[in-house]
Amino acid sequence: MSTPGPVRQGLQLAPFRGLRYASERVSSLAAVTSPPYDVVVRPDGLRHLETADPYNIVRLILPQTESPTARHQQAAQTLHRWQAEGVLAPDPEPALYVYEQRDAGQLQRGLIGALRLSPPEEGIVLPHENVMPHVVEDRADLMRATAANLEPLLLSYDGAHPGSANGSPNGAHPAAPAPDAPAPDGPAPAAPRGVQAVIDRAVQRPPLLATTTEDGVAHRLWRIADPAEIAEATTDLGRHQALIADGHHRWATYLRLRAERHAPGPWDFGLVLLVDTARYPLRVRAIHRLLRQLSPADALAAVGDAFRVRPVAGPLPDALAALATAQHEAAESGGPANAFLLAGGGEFHLLDRPDPARLAAAVPQDRPQTWRELDATVLHTLLLDQIWQVPDAPEHIGYIHDAVAAVKQTERHGGTAVLMRPVAEEVVRELAQQGVAMPHKSTSFGPKPATGLVLRSLELG
């Protein structure tokens, strides 16, 4: 565990020749996009995407064959065939891309480009979660085979505070209003500069593409190829550091593949979406666990008196409300605030009020108190490792971003879903600034960029 040092050289974002779908060759742009690879709920979500359009991007990010080696080879062959057929075509010149997502409740805009890679100790890009080696190995094999960055990572930075990843190291600050928000009373705000100015000018022009996906989110993309605008944006970003909001495994993969090369080149960069969260705050949601081989009855029997266990009434929204309430009740009692909702067999049970002695014995004491009190820390160290003794392997644990999907999985295939509460963004920021990694799959930041709108082929430089 090391604390990142001060930022000497900030984010270095470079233009690239985007590889994009030719709209006339596919049924629609919405039909060929996908959520990020780790959000696709297999097998139902995968089958749905595969049948949406024969050129759906899921055939590249999650190819389906009998072995890992064959999967990655198939993805590479598919990518090259689509390029040869003109389904995917490179843009004529290197560019940065302004990307917008809009739904009924949120507007997000950011800048897509190729970011120079840097290790955590340089304090430029800060991870906040541990990664699973088998996932990094799989993504590395896929990137080697395809020689492409197929989907951008989501990184956040604080445009209001140079040198800060996602908020001041000294604490939270009020978010600046988005450009579409009504102006508050008082003096007019200063005119946007740097990245903000480049984005604001871009969105006044006709977009390069526009589509609305089936979840109701509208996506638009603009290309920034003017050298002066690129310099304006990249100079501004050079004053900032960023927090990995989504894509820790892909970032670790970027670093692994760069280390395999002995000469400078395109592998020194990785595809990212940078979002200024002072302007466009992200949402933070939980990632739930699906214990595939542990029945609810066995899970509850093993808990014993390590937690208070109570049945709670459904449906799911009511049970999740009880989970949210448990934290406030624990704060009033002065005890540990950890709580989990177990779902399976058509029933819900709330686990809260963990035994302080059991916690102290299970949770490592050489970490900050904030880390020791995380629900994910308590889940993995006390429940999964000691009480349930569930190995952290794909055949035993699935990580699912949607609570409804997690419960449906238990109804169809058995097992137990452990539904989690989201972590406060301030907690994520605090630990990242200290260089302390949270347990893997602790957070789900969003909205996540759609996969398939723009790819980066390393063979194009």
Side-chain angles (χ1 to χ4, degrees):
M1 180 174 65
S2 62
T3 301
V7 178
R8 296 181 296 276
Q9 170 103 42
L11 299 166
Q12 299 178 64
L13 194 69
F16 68 102
R17 291 181 65 193
L19 192 63
R20 297 187 299 108
Y21 280 98
S23 58
E24 68 274 9
R25 296 298 308 275
V26 297
S27 58
S28 72
L29 289 174
V32 295
T33 63
S34 163
Y37 79 97
D38 58 337
V39 181
V40 177
V41 180
R42 288 190 267 184
D44 298 340
L46 183 61
R47 283 197 294 267
H48 174 73
L49 292 167
E50 285 181 328
T51 57
D53 188 284
Y55 298 114
N56 188 283
I57 192 69
V58 78
R59 297 179 185 275
L60 300 182
I61 62 172
L62 288 172
Q64 298 299 294
T65 58
E66 68 281 358
S67 71
T69 300
R71 286 200 299 270
H72 303 136
Q73 291 175 346
Q74 176 177 290
Q77 293 166 0
T78 300
L79 176 60
H80 293 142
R81 185 176 71 253
W82 289 359
Q83 289 179 263
E85 295 173 352
V87 175
L88 287 169
D91 280 336
E93 58 187 332
L96 300 176
Y97 297 84
V98 172
Y99 176 48
E100 176 188 279
Q101 295 162 276
R102 185 191 292 264
D103 61 18
Q106 188 164 18
L107 168 68
Q108 178 171 286
R109 290 173 180 152
L111 202 59
I112 294 177
L115 184 68
R116 181 176 288 277
L117 306 180
S118 59
E121 58 267 21
E122 291 186 8
I124 298 172
V125 175
L126 303 179
H128 69 267
E129 288 184 356
N130 287 321
V131 297
M132 295 177 282
H134 73 276
V135 177
V136 175
E137 185 61 40
D138 176 74
R139 293 295 98 182
D141 289 342
L142 179 63
M143 285 190 201
R144 285 191 202 97
T146 59
N149 300 154
L150 300 174
E151 46 189 337
L153 283 65
L154 175 60
L155 304 186
S156 68
Y157 71 98
D158 180 1
H161 294 79
S164 177
N166 194 26
S168 166
N170 297 319
H173 62 275
D180 293 6
D185 295 333
R193 296 180 298 173
V195 177
Q196 291 186 23
V198 170
I199 289 176
D200 287 355
R201 289 195 298 268
V203 299
Q204 301 305 313
R205 303 193 288 261
L208 186 66
L209 63 84
T211 189
T212 300
T213 45
E214 65 179 8
D215 57 4
V217 178
H219 308 260
R220 295 197 293 173
L221 195 73
W222 293 263
R223 185 166 56 223
I224 306 295
D226 179 72
E229 286 199 311
I230 290 174
E232 183 178 1
T234 56
T235 299
D236 181 19
L237 288 170
R239 304 179 303 129
H240 295 281
Q241 62 181 168
L243 178 77
I244 300 177
D246 184 69
H248 284 80
H249 290 89
R250 283 166 283 163
W251 182 259
T253 300
Y254 288 168
L255 294 176
R256 173 181 292 192
L257 296 178
R258 185 191 66 169
E260 296 174 358
R261 269 71 188 173
H262 302 292
W267 294 91
D268 293 337
F269 296 80
L271 185 64
V272 303
L273 166 64
L274 283 162
V275 173
D276 177 1
T277 50
R279 245 186 160 199
Y280 304 104
L282 298 175
R283 292 190 292 248
V284 188
R285 293 175 173 166
I287 301 178
H288 311 290
R289 275 63 171 163
L290 176 62
L291 311 183
R292 306 182 193 278
Q293 301 183 34
L294 181 68
S295 70
D298 290 343
L300 293 170
V303 168
D305 59 359
F307 285 78
R308 182 176 68 169
V309 179
R310 292 177 290 161
V312 293
L316 178 58
D318 293 342
L320 289 172
L323 176 63
T325 302
Q327 182 176 24
H328 302 294
E329 294 177 348
E332 293 176 357
S333 70
N338 308 103
F340 309 95
L341 183 66
L342 268 58
E347 297 181 341
F348 300 99
H349 289 83
L350 182 66
L351 273 59
D352 66 352
R353 309 271 179 102
D355 179 76
R358 295 288 296 271
L359 275 183
V363 177
Q365 300 298 305
D366 61 346
R367 302 289 183 92
Q369 181 177 351
T370 302
W371 182 90
R372 298 198 306 270
E373 293 176 349
L374 291 171
D375 283 349
T377 297
V378 173
L379 173 65
H380 282 266
T381 58
L382 178 54
L383 280 168
L384 294 176
D385 290 352
Q386 292 195 7
I387 293 176
W388 293 330
Q389 298 182 9
V390 175
D392 195 356
E395 61 270 25
H396 290 278
I397 303 181
Y399 294 88
I400 300 180
H401 291 69
D402 182 72
V404 173
V407 173
K408 285 183 177 179
Q409 290 273 6
T410 67
E411 293 172 352
R412 295 177 183 178
H413 308 294
T416 301
V418 182
L419 305 183
M420 310 279 286
R421 301 173 300 184
V423 181
E425 185 176 355
E426 292 77 13
V427 172
V428 178
R429 179 190 312 137
E430 174 190 340
L431 292 174
Q433 290 286 354
Q434 296 178 55
V436 178
M438 300 168 66
H440 54 259
K441 300 296 183 182
S442 293
T443 61
S444 176
F445 280 86
K448 304 177 191 299
T451 298
L453 295 180
V454 60
L455 289 62
R456 175 176 176 254
S457 170
L458 281 78
E459 295 175 346
L460 295 174

